[in-house]
């Protein structure tokens, strides 16, 4: 985690406190509203951060997001600038929105954009990509402190604890071989290897990753059949059709895997996994554990 300009953040809090006191004096007995959440101008360059900001009730403070972020159904995409892929963010685009807080992951880039942000009069917070619930909870605590929503964060932390407790009660049997597949239109099958969110999910479910390579690599149906997975998880991006049905239609050979024969083949929305173990991913994980139990 890297944090900048924290020393200048606290005076802003003091200012807001003075403003609250002033409003209390001049608005006593009136219908004056408390300070609005949009006291910040926030840019989120990470889908998981965006999820947390909306869950904390400060989504209305967002002025910019990255391409992986998903907005709630009742929020118009026209209201928030889309700044593109988080590794290739344009400095001019970010700074032109006049933010006072930018929150993203450790993978924000390019380096020249990060350097430009550091020179600007704003707060930049780069968080580690969560591979488990502990890192996710740590990130939520940091974000909630930045936006003065620590009380609201406690409900999220409690939800994560309860959800993960349920997941741990529904762990896969020791030694269960799991294949996590990305199904991309026109690009065949990609098998999740080491140091991927797919592998993180497998391990949190209690399984063993059937792949030994790093990152995601293409795999044929014949190769996958030879690995004899006990469980297959399919991540697709087209919500209009079943990823499992599409997989088996295009790769009928997989009907002979132990996973399919034992009906241990499930799907997950791949869009929920782009930011590591996020709030959305925790809920998806619980759903997968329930299906496989």
């Amino acid at each position: 985690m890297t944090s900048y300009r924290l020393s200048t953040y606290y005076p802003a809090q003091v200012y807001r406190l003075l403003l609250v006191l002033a409003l209390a004096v001049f608005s006593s007995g009136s219908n004056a509203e408390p300070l609005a959440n949009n006291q910040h101008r926030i840019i989120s360059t990470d889908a998981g951060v965006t999820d947390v900001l909306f869950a904390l009730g400060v989504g209305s403070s967002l002025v910019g997001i990255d391409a992986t972020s998903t907005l709630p159904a009742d929020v118009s995409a026209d209201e928030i600038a889309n700044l593109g892929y988080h590794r290739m963010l344009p400095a001019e685009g970010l700074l032109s929105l006049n933010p006072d807080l930018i929150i993203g992951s450790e993978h924000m880039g390019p380096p020249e954009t990060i350097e430009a942000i550091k020179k600007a009069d704003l707060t930049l917070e780069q968080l580690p990509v969560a591979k488990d619930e502990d890192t996710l909870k740590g990130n939520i605590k940091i974000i909630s402190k930045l936006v003065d929503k620590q009380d609201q964060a406690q409900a999220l932390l409690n939800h994560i604890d309860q959800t993960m407790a349920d997941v741990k009660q529904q762990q896969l049997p020791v030694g269960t071989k799991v294949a996590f597949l990305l199904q991309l239109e026109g690009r065949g099958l990609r098998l999740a290897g080491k140091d991927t969110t797919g592998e993180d999910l497998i391990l949190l479910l209690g399984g063993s990753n059937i792949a030994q390579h790093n990152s995601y690599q293409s795999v044929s149906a014949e190769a996958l059949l030879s690995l004899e997975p006990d469980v297959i998880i399919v991540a697709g991006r087209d919500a209009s059709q079943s990823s499992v049905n599409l997989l088996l239609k295009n790769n009928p050979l997989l009907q002979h895997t132990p996973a399919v024969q034992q009906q241990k083949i499930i799907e997950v929305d791949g869009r929920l996994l782009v930011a590591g173990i996020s709030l959305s991913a925790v809920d998806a994980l619980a759903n997968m554990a329930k299906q496989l139990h």
Side-chain angles (χ1 to χ4, degrees), residues 1-63:
M1 177 192 71
T2 306
S3 181
Y4 306 95
R5 201 203 162 213
L6 290 180
S7 61
T8 56
Y9 179 72
Y10 290 107
Q13 289 181 309
V14 173
Y15 171 79
R16 287 197 299 276
L17 177 59
L18 292 174
L19 185 55
V20 169
L21 293 174
L23 286 172
V25 169
F26 291 106
S27 303
S28 178
S30 73
N31 294 322
E33 295 291 329
L35 283 179
N37 287 333
N38 60 4
Q39 56 193 296
H40 292 296
R41 291 181 62 83
I42 304 175
I43 290 176
S44 167
T45 66
D46 180 83
V49 171
T50 303
D51 280 354
V52 172
L53 290 170
F54 276 103
L56 292 174
V58 293
S60 60
S61 296
L62 278 169
V63 295

Side-chain angles (χ1 to χ4, degrees), residues 171-179 202-203 205-212 227-231 258 262:
Q171 292 280 279
L172 292 167
V174 175
T176 300
K177 298 185 296 183
V178 183
I202 291 172
L203 298 179
L205 289 168
S208 299
N209 191 359
I210 205 167
Q212 297 300 313
L227 294 173
E228 298 183 323
D230 302 309
V231 171
Q262 297 169 19

